[in-house]
Amino acid sequence: MYSEQKQQLIDYGNKLIDLGYTLGTGGNLSLYLREKDLMLITPSGIPFSEITPQDIVLMRCTGEIIEGIKKPSSEWRMHGIMYEQRQDLHAVIHAHTLYSTAFAVARKPFSASHYMIAVAGKNVRCADYASFGTEELAQNAFKAMQNRKAVLLANHGVLTGGTTLFDAFNVLEELEYCAKVHILATHIGSPSIINDGEMANMAVRFKTYGQKRNDI
């Protein structure tokens, strides 16, 4: 079932590794089949290069396993709450990207020093700390990600969402670039922050930017 979607999860998982956006078995990806109220999610503790379509877990957001013999990602609650509470999200990616995670370790929100942060929102908040894989972390992430497509997880990593895996990955990649630029800029001086009015303008312009994609 859903062989194409399962392969997409594997391909994007390997892309995280290839581009250095996570290490080892860190990170997880999911897709939401809203018409079926089902979630496809990567398994727990298996390197992305070793994951097969049969290892992808089909489950409900409440935790019920529908198909699969492997344990789902320990962060399935964090994915599930996004799909239950957000009508605009159909794909979620969690990774341990270097520069975004630096902000998460400092527990600092990420302000708009570069206009491309608009892919996620006018800024990116940092969720309160909670242990990985817990309901508390899921709740904290959901709260801090309201009206955004990304959230920093304190002392942990980053979570992004979108209508497709392409969209969620693009948010992750742009956020990581902006984080790197911001950190480098602090060695030159104090980064200038774009005001909310201009970021609102960016949000409007981004709605019609680029080409329409149908891959979900």
Side-chain angles (χ1 to χ4, degrees), residues 136-147:
E136 183 183 9
L137 178 59
Q139 293 287 345
N140 291 352
F142 168 70
K143 180 180 178 182
M145 193 165 149
Q146 289 186 46
N147 303 312

Side-chain angles (χ1 to χ4, degrees), residues 78-99:
M78 191 163 59
H79 292 251
I81 193 173
M82 297 299 175
Y83 299 136
E84 288 180 321
Q85 302 295 329
R86 295 277 299 266
Q87 294 296 310
D88 59 323
L89 300 182
H90 295 83
V92 168
I93 299 176
H94 164 52
H96 300 164
T97 53
L98 183 61
Y99 293 96

Side-chain angles (χ1 to χ4, degrees), residues 63-114:
E64 178 187 358
I65 304 296
I66 303 300
E67 178 187 274
I69 59 174
K70 296 293 195 299
K71 291 169 56 179
S73 166
S74 61
E75 302 291 8
W76 66 264
R77 296 172 183 82
M78 191 163 59
H79 292 251
I81 193 173
M82 297 299 175
Y83 299 136
E84 288 180 321
Q85 302 295 329
R86 295 277 299 266
Q87 294 296 310
D88 59 323
L89 300 182
H90 295 83
V92 168
I93 299 176
H94 164 52
H96 300 164
T97 53
L98 183 61
Y99 293 96
S100 298
T101 300
F103 274 88
V105 169
R107 300 192 185 184
K108 291 186 178 295
F110 189 2
S111 298
S113 54
H114 192 292

Side-chain angles (χ1 to χ4, degrees), residues 99-100 103 110-120 124 170-185 191 199:
Y99 293 96
S100 298
F103 274 88
F110 189 2
S111 298
S113 54
H114 192 292
Y115 80 94
M116 281 304 298
I117 201 173
V119 298
V124 178
N170 180 60
V171 174
L172 181 90
E173 196 159 41
E174 293 292 356
L175 182 60
E176 181 65 359
Y177 170 78
C178 291
K180 182 177 182 178
V181 169
H182 186 104
I183 290 170
L184 289 173
M199 291 309 294

